[in-house]
Amino acid sequence: MPEQTTKQVDLRTYAKAVWRRKWLFIIPILTGGVIGFAIAQSLPPVYEARSRVVVRVEDRLSEPLARFVGSRTAHEDQLSRLQEKVKSTSFLVELVRTLGMAKDPGIQAWAVKMHEKSSALSVDDYAEAKAVELLQKRVMIARTSATGFEVIVRDLDPDRAFLLAQHITNSFVASSTREQLDEIRAVHSFSVEQIAIFKAKLDDAEGALQRYQSGRVARAPVENPVNAQNVNRVDVLISQAAVDEGRVRQRVVDLRAELWTAAGAGQDRLNAIASGAFATETDELVKLERQIASALVRQPQGGPEVNSLLVSTAEKKGELRARALALAARTVPGASQAALDAFAELKVAEAEVSMAAERKAVLERFMWGYTQGRATATEDELELARLRQEVESNRALYEAFVEQSAAGQIKEALEAARAGGRFEVIQPATRPVAPVAPDKLTILALSMLAGLVVGFGLVLATEQSDTSFKDIEEIERTLGLPVLGTVPDAEVFRSVAAREKALSRRGTARPTAGNSPLIAHLSRETPISFEFRRVARKIAKKHHGEIPRAILVTSANRGEGKTTAAACLAITLAKHYDRRTVLVDCDLRKPRGHHLMEVPSAPGISDALERGHLLGLDLKATTLPNLFVLPCGATPERATWVLESLPGSRVMTELLARFDHVILDTAPNVAVPDALLLGAAVDVVIMVVKAGVTPKEVVVRGLSLQQEDSPNVVGLIVNNLERVLPYYYDYKYYGYANAGSEAETNHESAQNQGAGPAPGERDEGPVDIRDAS
């Protein structure tokens, strides 16, 4: 429970601190609102036109043909293609020219200025470029669903926004239709070409099959060495064989170039040597390669069988190389050794091409047999099956292209393939009737929010730089003195201050009947009267249980409410303690006591000190029988010198003899030394501090100066504390929210009508001193 109370108090404290600086919030918010309103009003209205388009796709492409024509484009690609097209310069230029946007007066004026600066382009070119730039910013494509999107156009002119949206949509659909027709023709041409290609391939495959069937001989079946354990290795061997074939073919090309360089004129005679001259050696190498392929499938490379076959192959290649050298030397006796070597290596390389091709074919037959689930088959059967498979594949593709060449089939292929689908406008553009921008409420809200942020920053900065006191504990801890009372900024104080300013501004004669609103307010049970009765009790506790007779009230700085505090204390002692009390205005430079108590300002304390004694006219009576006021009197040139004579003077002696309590209101002690000179002549000194206003260092300095000359400072009265700690002053609960307002109203009415004091109050003018005795 204590933690919860403390937290609540802290929150209220912060809230009140913010409220105390409310203008730092209100001014930036209002400023932001005004700026936002001005911006919203200055921005031109923007109108928006929309049209909705969907893509309808049907996948009717035949399966054999799909891998040649292409796969269906995703709907995201359709949207991307539309965005690219709409933003493309060529499309926008065509749109600008069609709608005549470059002739807009504003665009033309801009183009003329640009042409005057630089004649690189004509006025029409500048205008067209500007119109295209504006369109790129005003046209948007937005996705609405998996197959739909919207064309959005924003413009200052609602008619032009409508025409742009309509024209862009129609232009794109028409352009898409043209593209479809172009691609239909392209696909048709592609099909015709592919028909011829696959017709030739089919004829070749059928011819190869017929020739093989005619020349086939019966052979013993062979076991397929490919199984689940080595199928991956066989696949790698097939790839390696293909790579080796390509490598040796390239080597043949290089060796022929080398032979050309080395042989010179003898190359023709070397080329005349028929390739069939080495057919025997080549056939033997091909047979060995076939055996090597089978061995590589059965066992990894490096096995005994493979190594033996590789040795035999190397020997056969050596024999082929030696025979080629001998034959070349006999054919071209004068050939160089380099030419002879190049010729021999060329023949070996040509044989290696046949070997690599054979190894690849054998491995592919084995793999085919494995994939077909045939564990054993003759080589004839494997080759025959491969040729038949090739014929069937080519025939299927040929027939697919023949079927697809029909116009209807081509269009179906187009709709389902890369070219895209059919664009359909499901919601045409309409003319906008109301602008969509600017959003004035949003602009105003954002501007005010920005002002709020600025205001909050100002409050934080101000609070950080504010060095004034804000709570009682801090005041007592820093100054080392108790707080005797905390006086709220009541309505009666503000009313009195406002009345003083109004009278001064109008130049109206001030009332002097002693009928101060403070007397009426403190005569009742009000928060102010309670607080000053508490102050009186605390002073008595500090002074041997008795309220001291001579009390000096001062402050460190002006405007802290010391005169009001002194007047309220005097009224409290006279009314609630029935003591004869006199309020002495010793602030000769800025006197205010006579205004506050509504009595004449002269003669007063300065006149009494000049003459050396009091007269009856010096003391001014009030409507409270026990309360008198000794105003400042004539303002002397040397105020400090005059007041310096008050302690020990006859005037002070007479005051103490005729009154129970003498309340001295003095000037701020940091500015002038008056309070320091008078402090020793009184029983106690009370310092007034205004919370949340006076800097701490000023208060500390004022208290330090006062205590150096008069160590009888007993405590502090704190003004304005409810603005910092509002929970101290929750008077509305007790019915004091409007305390004093009725009295003030009655008082104002009496003053305005020239009436006398209220019933029960005395109307006394200046009295003789004998009356006060």
Side-chain angles (χ1 to χ4, degrees):
M1 187 67 180
E3 293 181 0
Q4 184 178 359
T5 303
T6 302
K7 182 176 181 181
Q8 184 179 4
V9 168
D10 289 340
L11 291 176
R12 295 181 64 183
T13 301
Y14 298 148
K16 194 61 180 181
V18 170
W19 177 250
R20 184 160 48 89
R21 310 209 184 264
K22 56 183 174 295
W23 287 109
L24 292 178
F25 267 112
I26 295 174
I27 291 176
I29 292 174
L30 292 179
T31 303
V34 170
I35 294 174
F37 180 78
I39 292 174
Q41 290 298 113
S42 64
L43 293 175
V46 178
Y47 296 87
E48 182 179 271
R50 295 171 177 253
S51 62
R52 185 169 297 179
V53 182
V54 295
V55 183
R56 303 194 184 280
V57 178
E58 297 178 5
D59 192 358
R60 301 178 183 176
L61 189 63
S62 59
E63 184 63 26
L65 191 59
R67 61 178 179 270
F68 290 98
V69 176
S71 60
R72 182 179 60 193
T73 303
H75 298 143
E76 290 79 3
D77 294 338
Q78 301 288 345
L79 179 59
S80 176
R81 291 180 64 237
L82 178 57
Q83 289 174 329
E84 291 176 2
K85 182 174 184 61
V86 170
K87 293 293 184 179
S88 66
T89 304
S90 58
F91 181 81
L92 295 178
V93 166
E94 180 183 355
L95 189 61
V96 167
R97 293 173 179 173
T98 302
L99 298 180
M101 293 183 62
K103 297 179 181 179
D104 182 84
I107 295 178
Q108 283 290 324
W110 178 88
V112 170
K113 291 181 180 179
M114 293 299 298
H115 182 69
E116 291 175 354
K117 294 180 181 179
S118 174
S119 58
L121 297 176
S122 65
V123 174
D124 293 339
D125 291 338
Y126 275 120
E128 187 174 277
K130 185 63 175 179
V132 169
E133 180 184 351
L134 292 176
L135 278 182
Q136 287 177 336
K137 297 178 181 178
R138 296 175 181 178
V139 178
M140 295 173 288
I141 306 299
R143 186 184 185 90
T144 58
S145 64
T147 60
F149 49 85
E150 280 185 329
V151 177
I152 305 172
V153 179
R154 290 190 172 188
D155 198 274
L156 303 180
D157 185 353
D159 294 323
R160 188 163 56 191
F162 164 67
L163 290 175
L164 284 172
Q166 186 182 53
H167 194 80
I168 287 173
T169 304
N170 295 338
S171 297
F172 181 78
V173 172
S175 176
S176 175
T177 302
R178 288 195 301 270
E179 290 180 2
Q180 288 179 346
L181 293 175
D182 292 341
E183 294 192 28
I184 288 173
R185 298 187 186 97
V187 172
H188 179 71
S189 300
F190 172 77
S191 298
V192 171
E193 292 175 0
Q194 295 301 316
I195 287 172
I197 291 173
F198 282 97
K199 175 60 175 169
K201 288 185 177 181
L202 177 60
D203 292 342
D204 292 342
E206 289 178 343
L209 177 61
Q210 292 176 359
R211 288 192 298 273
Y212 190 81
Q213 288 176 335
S214 301
R216 62 180 297 195
V217 295
R219 300 180 184 177
V222 295
E223 182 180 357
N224 190 352
V226 180
N227 51 46
Q229 286 73 30
N230 60 14
V231 63
N232 292 332
R233 182 157 52 85
V234 173
D235 192 40
V236 173
L237 290 174
I238 293 173
S239 300
Q240 184 177 353
V243 172
D244 290 343
E245 183 180 2
R247 179 178 53 80
V248 295
R249 289 186 184 278
Q250 182 60 42
R251 186 163 177 263
V252 168
V253 174
D254 296 338
L255 287 172
R256 285 176 178 168
E258 183 180 347
L259 178 61
W260 173 270
T261 302
Q267 183 187 6
D268 294 337
R269 284 180 288 172
L270 290 174
N271 289 335
I273 300 176
S275 299
F278 308 101
T280 302
E281 291 81 357
T282 301
D283 290 342
E284 292 177 353
L285 286 171
V286 168
K287 290 179 181 179
L288 287 172
E289 192 65 28
R290 190 180 298 118
Q291 297 175 12
I292 290 173
S294 300
L296 286 174
V297 173
R298 290 191 297 271
Q299 60 184 353
Q301 192 171 359
E305 184 180 357
V306 174
N307 291 337
S308 176
L309 291 172
L310 289 177
V311 171
S312 300
T313 301
E315 292 175 353
K316 289 295 181 182
K317 286 182 181 180
E319 294 176 1
L320 175 59
R321 186 179 291 106
R323 187 165 180 277
L325 281 172
L327 184 57
R330 288 196 304 269
T331 304
V332 187
S336 63
Q337 187 61 42
L340 297 177
D341 292 339
F343 177 78
E345 291 299 327
L346 175 60
K347 296 307 173 184
V348 173
E350 290 176 347
E352 289 177 346
V353 170
S354 301
M355 295 167 62
E358 182 64 19
R359 177 167 25 117
K360 178 183 174 184
V362 171
L363 293 173
E364 287 178 343
R365 285 197 296 270
F366 286 152
M367 181 62 75
W368 182 87
Y370 173 77
T371 57
Q372 297 300 316
R374 303 180 64 173
T376 59
T378 63
E379 292 185 7
D380 254 0
E381 291 176 340
L382 293 176
E383 181 64 16
L384 183 60
R386 185 184 67 81
L387 291 174
R388 286 175 176 170
Q389 180 65 36
E390 185 176 356
V391 169
E392 293 300 324
S393 298
N394 288 324
R395 179 177 287 112
L397 289 172
Y398 169 74
E399 292 175 352
F401 274 108
V402 170
E403 179 184 1
Q404 205 72 24
S405 61
Q409 293 294 322
I410 290 293
K411 186 171 182 179
E412 291 177 359
L414 172 66
E415 292 176 350
R418 179 181 51 81
R422 181 186 298 112
F423 292 96
E424 180 179 350
V425 180
I426 61 172
Q427 180 181 325
T430 58
R431 184 185 183 279
V433 295
V436 296
D439 189 345
K440 296 182 179 181
L441 290 178
T442 301
I443 294 175
L444 186 62
L446 291 177
S447 301
M448 296 183 70
L449 179 61
L452 178 65
V453 173
V454 172
F456 187 73
L458 290 175
V459 169
L460 290 180
T462 305
E463 286 294 320
Q464 290 294 327
S465 61
D466 185 6
T467 60
S468 61
F469 290 107
K470 295 183 178 63
D471 63 72
I472 293 177
E473 290 76 10
E474 183 184 14
I475 294 173
E476 293 182 338
R477 182 174 62 253
T478 303
L479 302 180
L481 288 175
V483 173
L484 303 175
T486 56
V487 183
D489 184 16
E491 180 63 31
V492 65
F493 299 146
R494 294 191 292 272
S495 175
V496 169
R499 188 163 177 266
E500 285 185 27
K501 291 181 180 179
L503 291 173
S504 176
R505 184 172 60 253
R506 293 196 301 261
T508 308
R510 298 177 183 272
T512 58
N515 188 22
S516 171
L518 286 180
I519 296 176
H521 188 85
L522 270 77
S523 297
R524 294 172 170 79
E525 288 190 352
T526 63
I528 305 299
S529 66
F530 290 154
E531 198 64 31
F532 277 97
R533 288 162 70 179
R534 186 181 296 116
V535 170
R537 289 196 301 272
K538 287 187 177 181
I539 295 174
K541 288 182 181 180
K542 294 289 182 179
H543 194 261
H544 315 296
E546 293 290 337
I547 300 175
R549 299 194 61 199
I551 302 173
L552 185 145
V553 180
T554 188
S555 63
N557 202 4
R558 61 176 298 185
E560 298 198 54
K562 62 175 183 57
T563 300
T564 303
C568 291
L569 181 59
I571 294 170
T572 300
L573 295 177
K575 173 66 180 177
H576 298 288
Y577 289 88
D578 198 22
R579 306 289 179 88
R580 292 177 60 81
T581 306
V582 60
L583 174 64
V584 183
D585 190 352
C586 294
D587 190 352
L588 303 185
R589 294 171 181 81
K590 298 286 184 181
R592 185 172 171 260
H594 62 286
H595 293 321
L596 195 63
M597 301 303 291
E598 296 190 356
V599 297
S601 62
I605 183 65
S606 63
D607 303 295
L609 289 174
E610 286 287 345
R611 79 173 75 95
H613 61 88
L614 285 171
L615 292 178
L617 295 177
D618 295 338
L619 292 168
K620 310 299 187 292
T622 65
T623 55
L624 196 60
N626 289 334
L627 179 63
F628 293 84
V629 179
L630 181 57
C632 64
T635 304
E637 294 182 359
R638 297 185 296 172
T640 301
W641 181 85
V642 172
L643 289 175
E644 191 175 6
S645 63
L646 179 60
S649 67
R650 181 180 173 182
V651 173
M652 189 67 182
T653 303
E654 289 177 346
L655 290 173
L656 292 174
R658 288 162 175 76
F659 294 96
D660 297 322
H661 302 290
V662 179
I663 311 297
L664 303 181
D665 173 29
T666 64
N669 60 8
V670 173
V672 293
D674 299 354
L676 309 180
L677 299 174
L678 300 177
V682 298
D683 297 320
V684 296
V685 176
I686 298 174
M687 293 281 293
V688 178
V689 178
K690 192 168 186 179
V693 175
T694 309
K696 297 177 184 178
E697 56 271 17
V698 176
V699 179
V700 172
R701 176 60 177 167
L703 179 60
S704 176
L705 291 172
Q706 193 68 44
Q707 288 178 329
E708 287 179 2
D709 290 281
S710 51
N712 54 350
V713 182
V714 295
L716 310 163
I717 293 178
V718 181
N719 278 329
N720 203 47
L721 196 61
E722 91 285 357
R723 293 196 176 188
V724 180
L725 301 178
Y727 55 87
Y728 280 10
Y729 298 95
D730 195 8
Y731 292 129
K732 293 183 179 180
Y733 179 79
Y734 300 101
Y736 296 127
N738 298 315
S741 60
E742 181 182 353
E744 294 169 30
T745 303
N746 294 336
H747 179 80
E748 287 283 349
S749 176
Q751 293 293 339
N752 294 335
Q753 298 175 9
E761 297 180 345
R762 296 192 306 155
D763 183 12
E764 297 185 14
V767 297
D768 190 270
I769 192 169
R770 291 171 297 182
D771 296 332
S773 58

